[in-house]
Amino acid sequence: MQKLGMGQAVNQALREEMHRDPNVFLAGEGVGVSIHLNPMFPTHGLLEEFGPGRIKDTPVSEAAIAGLAVGAAEAGLRPVVEIMFNPFFTLASDMIVNHAAKLRYLSGGKSAFPLVVRMKSGAGIGAGCQHSHNLEAWVAHCPGLKVVMPATSADAKGLLKSAIRDDNPVIFIEHMGLYFAPMPVPVDEYTTPIGQAEVKRPGTDVTVVTWSGMLGVAMAAAEKLAQEDVQVEIVDLRTLVPLDKETILASVAKTGRLVILHEATRTGGFGGEVAAVVMEEGFHHLKAPLRRVTGPDIPVPASPPLERFYIPGDEQLVAAIKEIL
Amino acid sequence: MKISAEKQKEMLWTMLLSRRFEDELVELCKVEGKIPGMTILSTGQEAVGSGACAALEPEDVIITNHRSHNHLLAKGAEPNALMAEIYCKRTGCNKGKSGTLHLAVPEVNAPCTSTVVGAGPPIAVGQAFAQQYKGEQRVTACFFGDGAAAEGSVHEAMNLAALWRLPLIFICENNVYAGAQRHEEHTPVPNLAVRAAAYAMPGETVDGNDVLAVYLAVQEARERALAGEGPSLVECKTYRCRGHGETDPQHYQPREEICSWLEKCPIPRLRDDLIARGVLTAADYQEMEGRAESIVMEAVRFAEESPYPDPEEALEDVLA
Ligand SMILES: Cc1ncc(C[n+]2csc(CCOP(=O)(O)OP(=O)(O)O)c2C)c(N)n1
């Protein structure tokens, strides 16, 4: 085992896949020469290793970056492009939503679009709402895209390798807060399948379904509740689309209680989708109404006390769990 | 030169105030937790905002970007409220919601700072349209970087503004870098002012470290806009003397390049010029420095002593 931040794990995945497949190339703002001279960042050192032919620094042009990926993917390359922060996805969204997601369908299945769009998400950096806005539910709502949101470095590495090998467009969202949290990552070659959730902590009394940066919050709440003899089972979705309903339903069947935890805002958040699946297919397992713990329906504010108020915390989760025990 | 002595001194003053304000931020952001988020400064570029805003009237509008402090101070934003917002305190101009990156000061007709690169120009189109629609004698000026000039939104805004002859001044602050990418790494044209030709509007490249040149170019563009002749593009060539933000080690910026531009600093340049022309005395300048010092110190004191907002205040102001 090695200990890596999520950025370093992503870096390893990119390196390994670029060595494996000459059709993989990277493009984005500062993916080559960056304002961060920091090995914890995902594209650190790649320009030196692979050269400017495969590590393409671009102008500040998100639509062109995403379009580059769409066009090049159809032409047989495997683009991995970066949108610097999740909110800037809006500028790339026509290419992703109307094209990456739809062109295969529109071709009657003749064309494939093996591309990956990586972006950083997450609150907690004090930069405010134009840098911190979790938009995973937007992309999850578009048929034709896969949506991956790892919570650990090991999953990030394995899932990114799968995403690059996948013949579909994959939106790969990295939580910035995890770049600086070293976590164990296997040294040997491996991939992690897209579309499989993982039980990150087994328990018997209540299921918490979560993903990305909120796994840590769920773990902390589970620790606290364990002191009170409440055993929390934590399901880390890892992939939102395709959604691993079986793992969620199996856990709810075991515990009979469900709390969904996500950092994104509440209304229209992906938690609503998880809730609907459980209501439709696992209602009979539920011993109590399910609960959602999410960011409130506000833009992420810059001021530290306001931003802390925004980000769901373990105490909120503990309280929500106690409500339904 | 047809610029009044008062105007010239005003420009020197806003440049000086802005520099002193941002020099303080350089120090403050080194203290862990004091300045949340990013600290993005315009050191060495002050001639752009100060020259442009001096050519505008108070009723004119500016739309700005992530590197906004100089633009806002030159437009007359209140330093205490600005500093308190940068500290993310409740007394800040946006109650701590925006922080340094999205400072909105509608009181001085600076209603929007967008940190989404390239977002300013389309919003400026809307402001200029409203001015035209209401038959007002005012204009909108929009600051954006050379990097932003690569966003499609900027081209759409230029085309629409030119098509509708909107009273809009596009001010491209070309400071050589966009993040870690040099000008020639993100656009094949050496002068972005040539883009204006594509939209049948005048485009001019001026020395962006010469505050008087910026002033004159913006003044001319303003007159044109007020005469109903439509938008103009003014490209101000300057240099980003500090990093993209304060955590940027500037490893990709040649030392000699930074030093050569520090020598072209617009503040001593105007000061020496004004003293040589007898418009200003050394004592006047010292007085200005002292005034800037006390304003900035007062702003810091105000920000330090101000409370943070209460957590629940996060819920306010989402909808009208
Ligand atoms: C749409 C969008 N893409 C990327 C970024 C990240 N970013 C912030 S500033 C910047 C460079 C902008 O360069 P320029 O417009 O020249 O302004 P400067 O920073 O040089 O003042 C980038 C890429 C952003 N804020 N918004």
Side-chain angles (χ1 to χ4, degrees):
Chain A
M1 283 284 174
Q2 43 182 344
K3 284 208 150 189
L4 303 178
M6 187 176 281
Q8 293 172 295
V10 165
N11 187 280
Q12 275 195 355
L14 292 170
R15 255 175 230 276
E16 290 177 14
E17 291 307 295
M18 288 191 72
H19 279 300
R20 193 188 55 80
D21 181 351
N23 285 327
V24 177
F25 74 95
L26 261 54
E29 296 154 19
V31 296
V33 182
S34 163
I35 58 172
H36 305 289
L37 200 56
N38 186 338
M40 303 304 276
F41 280 83
T43 54
H44 184 81
L46 296 179
L47 178 65
E48 290 71 15
E49 186 162 344
F50 297 100
R54 295 181 72 191
I55 306 292
K56 307 297 293 179
D57 270 326
T58 66
V60 194
S61 304
E62 287 76 10
I65 293 168
L68 168 78
V70 175
E74 201 282 336
L77 300 184
R78 294 206 167 243
V80 182
V81 298
E82 177 176 305
I83 299 296
M84 203 180 273
F85 288 93
N86 199 334
F88 311 155
F89 165 78
T90 54
L91 285 84
S93 59
D94 171 58
M95 283 298 146
I96 297 170
V97 173
N98 285 319
H99 298 92
K102 294 175 183 166
L103 289 181
R104 175 178 166 77
Y105 191 72
L106 289 171
S107 76
K110 289 181 186 166
S111 299
F113 296 85
L115 63 94
V116 179
V117 179
R118 295 180 36 249
M119 43 198 186
K120 297 198 280 288
S121 82
I125 57 167
C129 60
Q130 289 182 346
H131 283 76
S132 295
H133 191 170
N134 297 296
L135 294 173
E136 68 265 24
W138 288 22
V139 273
H141 196 54
C142 297
L145 300 176
K146 294 187 177 181
V147 183
V148 175
M149 268 184 106
T152 67
S153 296
D155 285 345
K157 180 175 176 185
L159 283 162
L160 183 55
K161 286 167 71 84
S162 295
I164 293 170
R165 298 178 193 190
D166 200 293
D167 281 337
N168 298 289
V170 180
I171 309 298
F172 192 90
I173 304 177
E174 298 154 21
H175 196 287
M176 281 177 268
L178 301 174
Y179 281 3
F180 303 97
M183 289 183 263
V185 174
V187 176
D188 292 338
E189 159 81 26
Y190 69 99
T191 60
T192 306
I194 291 177
Q196 282 185 19
E198 187 175 67
V199 174
K200 284 286 191 323
R201 178 184 172 115
T204 46
D205 300 327
V206 57
T207 297
V208 171
V209 170
T210 193
W211 55 91
S212 188
M214 283 291 116
L215 177 62
V217 171
M219 288 293 200
E223 278 305 318
K224 283 186 182 168
L225 285 165
Q227 321 263 306
E228 301 175 32
D229 257 354
V230 176
Q231 303 310 327
V232 180
E233 174 146 305
I234 299 175
V235 176
D236 171 11
L237 287 186
R238 305 196 290 189
T239 301
L240 306 195
V241 182
L243 181 63
D244 180 359
K245 296 180 186 180
E246 289 69 31
T247 300
I248 299 169
L249 291 167
S251 178
V252 171
K254 182 162 104 180
T255 65
R257 293 183 172 86
L258 174 64
V259 179
I260 302 150
L261 170 70
H262 60 68
E263 187 185 300
T265 52
R266 191 175 188 83
T267 302
F270 195 75
E273 180 62 28
V274 175
V277 164
V278 172
M279 294 307 280
E280 284 178 338
E281 299 178 40
F283 183 68
H284 52 287
H285 300 308
L286 289 176
K287 299 175 193 153
L290 57 82
R291 284 278 180 273
R292 283 180 291 165
V293 175
T294 69
D297 284 331
I298 59 172
V300 175
S303 188
L306 305 186
E307 191 181 39
R308 277 194 296 274
F309 175 85
Y310 174 88
I311 301 170
D314 53 2
E315 271 153 32
Q316 269 167 279
L317 180 58
V318 167
I321 289 171
K322 285 184 172 173
E323 270 174 38
I324 58 167
L325 276 179
Chain B
M1 190 168 311
K2 46 188 184 324
I3 312 174
S4 73
E6 277 323 298
K7 263 293 166 214
Q8 298 185 53
K9 283 196 249 182
E10 175 194 320
M11 290 187 248
L12 183 61
W13 164 246
T14 64
M15 288 198 291
L16 197 59
L17 177 63
S18 159
R19 175 68 60 86
R20 187 65 197 81
F21 189 92
E22 291 199 323
D23 279 351
E24 199 58 32
L25 287 173
V26 169
E27 297 309 315
L28 291 170
C29 77
K30 290 178 188 156
V31 185
E32 177 75 23
K34 195 176 281 289
I35 307 292
M38 308 172 184
T39 301
I40 295 181
L41 306 178
S42 58
T43 314
Q45 303 177 208
E46 294 91 346
V48 179
S50 292
C53 289
L56 301 175
E57 294 298 325
E59 63 270 23
D60 293 335
V61 169
I62 64 165
I63 301 293
T64 167
N65 66 359
H66 55 285
R67 209 173 293 284
S68 70
H69 303 151
N70 161 252
H71 307 151
L72 295 169
L73 286 167
K75 191 73 174 72
E78 216 265 303
N80 284 7
L82 221 51
M83 187 64 88
E85 187 61 36
I86 293 167
Y87 268 75
C88 290
K89 296 292 184 79
R90 179 196 276 142
T91 54
C93 51
N94 311 119
K95 306 178 193 168
K97 300 228 162 65
S98 95
T100 177
L101 287 181
H102 326 82
L103 297 158
V105 197
E107 303 86 324
V108 297
N109 290 312
C112 169
T113 295
S114 179
T115 182
V116 181
V117 168
I123 295 167
V125 163
Q127 291 277 326
F129 175 76
Q131 290 162 342
Q132 185 190 62
Y133 189 88
K134 297 197 237 168
E136 295 170 340
Q137 283 296 299
R138 22 186 333 219
V139 307
T140 299
C142 180
F143 295 99
F144 60 99
D146 48 303
E151 291 282 13
S153 57
V154 176
H155 295 260
E156 294 183 24
M158 286 185 182
N159 186 55
L160 187 54
L163 185 68
W164 290 352
R165 291 180 167 258
L166 297 177
L168 178 41
I169 310 166
F170 293 101
I171 301 174
C172 180
E173 190 160 358
N174 186 344
N175 63 4
V176 183
Y177 288 91
Q181 274 59 57
R182 281 182 72 83
H183 180 94
E184 57 270 26
E185 291 167 332
H186 63 80
T187 185
V189 294
N191 288 334
L192 289 162
V194 303
R195 297 269 174 82
Y199 306 109
M201 64 176 166
E204 188 184 353
T205 300
V206 301
D207 177 351
N209 279 32
D210 179 354
V211 69
L212 303 181
V214 174
Y215 173 87
L216 289 172
V218 173
Q219 189 190 45
E220 192 186 329
R222 182 172 188 274
E223 277 163 18
R224 206 181 111 80
L226 285 178
E229 290 166 29
S232 308
L233 171 58
V234 179
E235 178 190 23
C236 305
K237 289 243 177 145
T238 181
Y239 188 78
R240 202 192 71 204
C241 291
R242 301 195 66 82
H244 171 69
E246 285 302 291
T247 54
D248 173 358
Q250 294 182 282
H251 54 100
Y252 51 88
Q253 275 177 277
R255 269 284 120 204
E256 318 77 66
E257 185 180 77
I258 302 176
C259 292
S260 77
W261 278 91
L262 284 172
E263 277 165 25
K264 294 186 232 170
C265 177
I267 299 176
R269 181 169 167 179
L270 179 64
R271 177 197 62 198
D272 295 348
D273 185 30
L274 293 186
I275 292 176
R277 287 193 277 117
V279 177
L280 188 85
T281 64
D284 292 339
Y285 186 73
Q286 267 184 359
E287 182 277 326
M288 278 186 179
E289 280 187 318
R291 193 150 37 103
E293 174 73 14
S294 56
I295 289 176
V296 171
M297 284 303 119
E298 164 58 16
V300 170
R301 186 202 58 78
F302 177 76
E304 289 277 343
E305 289 176 7
S306 292
Y308 281 106
D310 287 334
E312 293 72 25
E313 290 174 38
L315 298 171
E316 296 166 7
D317 302 320
V318 180
L319 290 170

